[in-house]
Amino acid sequence: MEAEFIKSFKHVTLFDMLVLKTIAEQGGIARNADLAGALGVDHTAIIAAIRKLSMHGLVEVMPRRGYRITPKGEAFLREVAERL
């Protein structure tokens, strides 16, 4: 069952995972500028990753407040970490 959970996110890239992990490390909520600064990339890359993570239900977009990792996103991070 866990393998199926991971497989359902086959289009999530390593960069997307780094964005998700960075949000989790910043207390579960982060703004675009925080993520761009922490990862050393431009805002466009962050927006593309957030769009994909949001589409999969791993991140919630909070207008004018930033992005929040969802319980599904936390479970996904834990599952991937266990497999590494």
Side-chain angles (χ1 to χ4, degrees), residues 5-6 17 20-21 25 73-84:
F5 181 70
I6 296 265
M17 289 295 301
L20 190 62
K21 182 175 180 276
E25 289 172 347
E74 291 173 353
F76 181 64
L77 275 180
R78 277 193 306 276
E79 188 64 34
V80 169
E82 288 175 10
R83 295 180 179 276
L84 293 178

Side-chain angles (χ1 to χ4, degrees), residues 41 45 62 75:
V41 297
M62 302 180 311

